[in-house]
Amino acid sequence: MTTRPILATINSNALKNNFKIIKNIVGKSKIWSVLKANAYGHGIKNIFPILKKSDGFAVLTLEEAIILRKNGCNKPILLLEGFFSKKDLYLIYKYYLTITIHNKWQMKILIQYKSYYPLNIYIKINSGMNRLGFLPKNINNIINILKANVNIQNITLMTHFADASKNSHSVFKQLKIIKKNIYNYRNFTCSFANSAATLWHSYTHYDWIRVGIVLYGASPTGNWKDISKKKIQPVMTLKSKIISIQKIKSGQTIGYNCTYSVKTKRKIGIIACGYADGYPKNINNETFVFIKGIKTKILGNICMDMLAIDLKNIPTAKIGNSVELWGNNIKIDNVAKSANTTGYELMCSLSQRVPRQIIK
Ligand SMILES: *Cc1c(COP(=O)(O)O)cnc(C)c1O
């Protein structure tokens, strides 16, 4: 419980709307809803019950997978990077998790481990992202080794695209490498598409897509316009309140380091939101908040717990008025642009001290 006015509301209808749009786009392909990083900052326990039409949930850590199982999730759960040490395998079997295998050291451990029942395995192919995965030319061999040594239920081929924006040429190249190198690749289940590929490259959908950012209502490209046309809606609204109003005389400055000086007398509002809440500190001077139906600018440096806004055009503003930092009126993609980052980072950086509340 906190009495401080900052709050992140999570709009469950917007989330369901976004899921439905994705579902319509992909048709028969199954959907992994990606819930890593505490469901991109939205709260994993909040999000998974709202996404119950997902075919499965993809997470990063064993802890996240166990939270899902302990909260009643009986859908498939995919560990996107598989296991990090041998002792993880006991829990992987215990909680019926699907694992990614991306490296030889994992193969070695898996082969030596006594299996309890047949596992579902995702084999990560490095088709051009150059982060995780086996080279395409080695995949046939790896499949044979796994099949000969591990008790396997099903093998899925998995890859990740380096750039799946609309005009990308690399998606096609990455797919081509897979098709060229992997013998009868369509005999396997395939999972290739992230949000961007799901939206803009339908030939990548195959059996299972893996969507994160677009479910939460931000664009994988960072441009809100790219997804607003598809009727995607922002899921999170970050809002707070005016806790102080200052009348400043001409020539005075606002906040730390005196970076912003006012030329004529000015009314400003102090908002209970700072970088310790996850609001980005390094924004440019064209960054907006929304108050009483009006967009107004942030002035001066962001503090740890507060920021200042211009009330020049909002004479009726008073203490206690609600202010939207991002949401339906101020798109998180635009705040991210001002801060030279992405919606992904802002969502994931939202501090634990900001309460999350689900609304219908
Ligand atoms: C995070 C992640 C995704 C989801 O990416 P979005 O761009 O948020 O859709 C898909 N696949 C893998 C392997 C990931 O790590």
Side-chain angles (χ1 to χ4, degrees), residues 34 36 40 80 124 131 158 160 194-195 210-213 344:
V34 181
K36 66 189 174 188
Y40 291 47
L80 287 163
K124 184 83 174 257
R131 190 173 62 176
M158 175 195 200
H160 198 56
N194 56 6
S195 291
R210 309 182 305 272
V211 276
I213 195 76
Y344 293 86

